[in-house]
Amino acid sequence: GRSYSVTSAFDFNSSLFPLSSSGPGYTSLGTPGTPNFDSGAQSLERNKSLTYLNGLSLVVGLIIGSGIFSSPASVNSNAGSPGAALIVWIVSGMLAWTGAASYAELGGAIPLNGGAQVYLSKIFGPWAGFLFTWCTVVVLKPGSAAIIAIIFGEYLVRAVIGADAVDASPWINKGVALIGLVAVTLLNCVSTKLGTRSADLFMFFKFAALLAITIAGIIVAVTGAAYNKEALSTTWKTTNWFEGTSMSSSQWAVALYAGLWAYDGWDNTNFVVGEMKNPSRDLPKVLHTALPVVIVAYILANLSYFFVLPPETINTSNTVAVAFGSIVLGPVGSLLLALAVSGSCFGGLNAGTFTAGRLIYSAGKEGYLPEIFGTVGFSDSSQRMRLPRRQKARRFASFIADEQGFFYTPIYAMALNAAFTTVYIIVGDFTTLTTFYGVASYLFYFAPVVGLIVLRVKEPELERPYKCWLITPIIFCCVSLFLLSRAIFAKPFQALIVFAFIAVGFPLFWWRVGSRGRSGRKSEQGEGWWKFWKRWGRR
Ligand code: ARG
């Protein structure tokens, strides 16, 4: 069969860097002003280093973040009963899994960097890829960053100031969320190294928090040594687990969006395809282990919550882990858990800022966005950084500075991302934003998966190293469609805003791409993209 071998202008290699071990090719932003349309291919060749286990920890690390510590309230209160809540966690996990399996097939059939942007361009035309990029820049990246920042704020305020402050005014949380956002953005502006080093550091927190909760829950369940006997007996022994289950499909949709948020990130695996030693064997293997592992971990964590906490607490608190910690281990426990979860969120925010910066940077290079966003802060690459003379200062500087010195990072791109994120933090809260984000993201997960089916019909002979069962994308599409249609009833305003943003994308596409014609493109960087289009575009 035929296979694709061109590369995309969107080189996402660098975006992987924060979570994988360092390699020489990862950090490069490309030298400004020189075409780098084949750099993707080069770095792919250079960095085929990820094994199955690397891929697994990468994906699991990408998925686990804020959600399992914050979604339970929204899931439980909308599902109506603990049993229904567990079903929501299973269904949303399975949905993520079917989506990931579908993306694994796409990743094998179209082995280019860039994920959905490339699949959409290839299957439906460049306008679809553009719309995806546009929505990623204005909705998906800043929306997800805002959710994580808000959870970061809530946990930190609870840990440091106390619960009263959280309940007194949402603005205290939002203020802390904004401070976190600014800190993360500055950190990533200073140098790529600083961003990636902090990613390594914060990686640890999420596993610590999740493990602590699960182990404590198991101990409580096994020993029956309930710290809250009443809670244990009401939820675990006597209560009917399905009593109060919601009958409203809109409520179920909102609960599912909150669950899906916790599983979000499964699509990121497709950005690592190029780095894997044996992608056609390992990518599906990674996904088919990662998703079940995360699903089981989340179910266990939720059972732990149920064993320890009274339902009212789970239903109303965005910071279940704090309540959990204080019941199991007292004030010290709640402080430790709160710190661990805010560390986990900080790490998630960091990774998101890093990738958003690179994505907006490529979009700027591509001419999708004003040129300034495709430039780095300090771009005089001829002038290597002069390291300070004194030993200690020298060592410190080389620990955090990039080869090119400081601020050789896409600072304008990251500033833009921070600006959008700020708006979402100010206007949104957790449930509103997860629904908003869910509508936008599932629209853009849905489209490539429909594309998968289209591609099977249109190009049956195309080489597909991994083929998922046909039922997988079909299930994914049906459930996504249900979710999207329900959202319109459950949260019409959020859905409307998403559609408005997408609608704005159409004239923008014409303005930034359509009107310049094939030869009049804005940047050299676009070369790979247009080459790709000329070869494989509408034939
Ligand atoms: N699942 C993650 C969490 O619970 C969110 C991942 C954010 N999305 C992404 N594409 N990076 O925090």
Side-chain angles (χ1 to χ4, degrees):
R2 200 159 58 66
S3 64
Y4 295 98
S5 57
V6 266
T7 48
S8 157
F10 278 74
D11 184 352
F12 277 83
N13 282 342
S14 56
S15 64
L16 297 168
F17 179 70
L19 297 161
S20 60
S21 61
S22 43
Y26 283 110
T27 50
S28 158
L29 272 172
T31 313
T34 51
N36 80 339
F37 56 84
D38 59 348
S39 72
Q42 283 171 7
S43 37
L44 291 189
E45 292 312 309
R46 263 208 309 274
N47 291 312
K48 284 203 180 300
S49 60
L50 294 185
T51 61
Y52 164 70
L53 275 181
N54 296 147
L56 187 65
S57 63
L58 197 75
V59 179
V60 172
L62 274 167
I63 293 178
I64 298 172
S66 61
I68 187 58
F69 311 111
S70 52
S71 289
S74 199
V75 171
N76 275 57
S77 59
N78 283 295
S81 69
L86 286 177
I87 290 180
V88 167
W89 283 103
I90 293 171
V91 171
S92 47
M94 299 299 279
L95 187 61
W97 192 356
T98 53
S102 308
Y103 267 51
E105 173 172 332
L106 284 168
I110 310 177
L112 311 173
N113 284 323
Q117 189 263 337
V118 175
Y119 311 147
L120 289 171
S121 299
K122 160 71 190 92
I123 299 167
F124 299 111
W127 61 271
F130 178 89
L131 282 188
F132 171 76
T133 307
W134 161 245
C135 279
T136 307
V137 171
V138 295
V139 175
L140 298 177
K141 284 293 171 192
S144 58
I147 300 174
I148 301 177
I150 285 176
I151 297 305
F152 166 80
E154 283 202 23
Y155 269 98
L156 203 62
V157 170
R158 255 176 220 277
V160 178
I161 313 181
D164 304 337
V166 179
D167 304 325
S169 155
W171 291 106
I172 300 176
N173 300 335
K174 292 192 179 195
V176 175
L178 286 173
I179 293 173
L181 172 70
V182 171
V184 163
T185 306
L186 287 180
L187 210 109
N188 279 280
C189 283
V190 169
S191 69
T192 299
K193 249 192 196 170
L194 192 57
T196 56
R197 289 211 193 280
S198 24
D200 294 343
L201 181 69
F202 284 101
M203 187 72 176
F204 156 81
F205 286 91
K206 62 181 83 178
F207 293 111
L210 194 57
L211 270 181
I213 290 172
T214 310
I215 291 172
I218 290 174
I219 291 174
V220 169
V222 170
T223 61
Y227 292 83
N228 185 341
K229 272 243 155 60
E230 216 173 312
L232 190 67
S233 58
T234 47
T235 52
W236 179 230
K237 297 220 177 88
T238 56
T239 308
N240 175 0
W241 276 55
F242 286 93
E243 197 181 300
T245 300
S246 166
M247 288 295 145
S248 144
S249 58
S250 300
Q251 274 193 319
W252 275 78
V254 173
L256 280 167
Y257 279 124
L260 287 171
W261 164 253
Y263 291 105
D264 199 62
W266 50 264
D267 64 315
N268 283 291
T269 34
N270 282 54
F271 302 147
V272 300
V273 170
E275 270 76 15
M276 298 182 86
K277 269 191 194 143
N278 190 346
S280 48
R281 186 197 64 193
D282 286 347
L283 178 68
K285 232 174 91 183
V286 162
L287 290 168
H288 289 313
T289 355
L291 269 300
V293 164
V294 176
I295 294 174
V296 170
Y298 283 6
I299 300 290
L300 287 178
N302 274 290
L303 286 173
S304 294
Y305 293 145
F306 288 136
F307 291 157
V308 172
L309 296 171
E312 316 83 66
T313 310
I314 306 180
N315 281 357
T316 53
S317 166
N318 275 348
T319 50
V320 266
V322 174
F324 184 92
S326 76
I327 288 182
V328 176
L329 288 172
V332 180
S334 79
L335 179 69
L336 284 181
L337 266 181
L339 287 178
V341 175
S342 33
S344 168
C345 294
F346 196 85
L349 202 55
N350 186 61
T353 301
F354 190 98
T355 45
R358 270 68 189 168
L359 185 126
I360 296 173
Y361 174 84
S362 332
K365 282 264 176 244
E366 185 80 0
Y368 282 7
L369 293 171
E371 232 168 302
I372 177 117
F373 297 116
T375 57
V376 290
F378 168 73
S379 54
D380 185 5
S381 54
S382 64
Q383 219 184 355
R384 290 278 150 124
M385 189 183 65
R386 267 184 233 111
L387 291 171
R389 231 162 299 98
R390 288 188 36 228
Q391 263 293 315
K392 262 193 183 158
R394 195 185 177 87
R395 221 175 301 139
F396 180 71
S398 60
F399 185 70
I400 56 169
D402 294 328
E403 221 179 290
Q404 298 87 351
F406 292 105
F407 298 105
Y408 190 80
T409 53
I411 60 170
Y412 304 102
M414 287 190 284
L416 183 71
N417 183 56
F420 282 127
T421 307
T422 302
V423 175
Y424 290 124
I425 291 177
I426 290 174
V427 302
D429 62 49
F430 180 77
T431 305
T432 318
L433 284 173
T434 43
T435 311
F436 173 74
Y437 176 82
V439 172
S441 61
Y442 270 77
L443 212 59
F444 282 106
Y445 294 143
F446 174 71
V449 177
V450 170
L452 180 158
I453 300 171
V454 171
L455 206 61
R456 282 224 188 162
V457 175
K458 251 179 36 184
E459 303 193 24
E461 86 290 4
L462 183 72
E463 209 177 283
R464 289 178 178 84
Y466 168 75
K467 238 178 157 169
C468 58
W469 300 331
L470 187 59
I471 190 74
T472 311
I474 293 177
I475 293 177
F476 183 85
C477 288
C478 293
V479 183
S480 307
L481 262 190
F482 160 77
L483 274 173
L484 292 169
S485 64
R486 277 296 100 189
I488 296 169
F489 294 98
K491 303 270 171 174
F493 186 63
Q494 278 98 298
L496 192 76
I497 294 182
V498 170
F499 288 116
F501 273 125
I502 295 173
V504 171
F506 281 99
L508 264 183
F509 173 70
W510 194 82
W511 176 44
R512 303 300 308 183
V513 183
S515 65
R516 59 174 123 124
R518 282 185 194 189
S519 52
R521 61 172 180 273
K522 289 234 161 107
S523 76
E524 307 265 58
Q525 296 282 329
E527 185 70 52
W529 195 74
W530 285 103
K531 241 167 92 183
F532 172 77
W533 167 230
K534 267 188 261 167
R535 254 165 95 181
W536 305 113
R538 224 173 282 142
R539 274 162 302 144

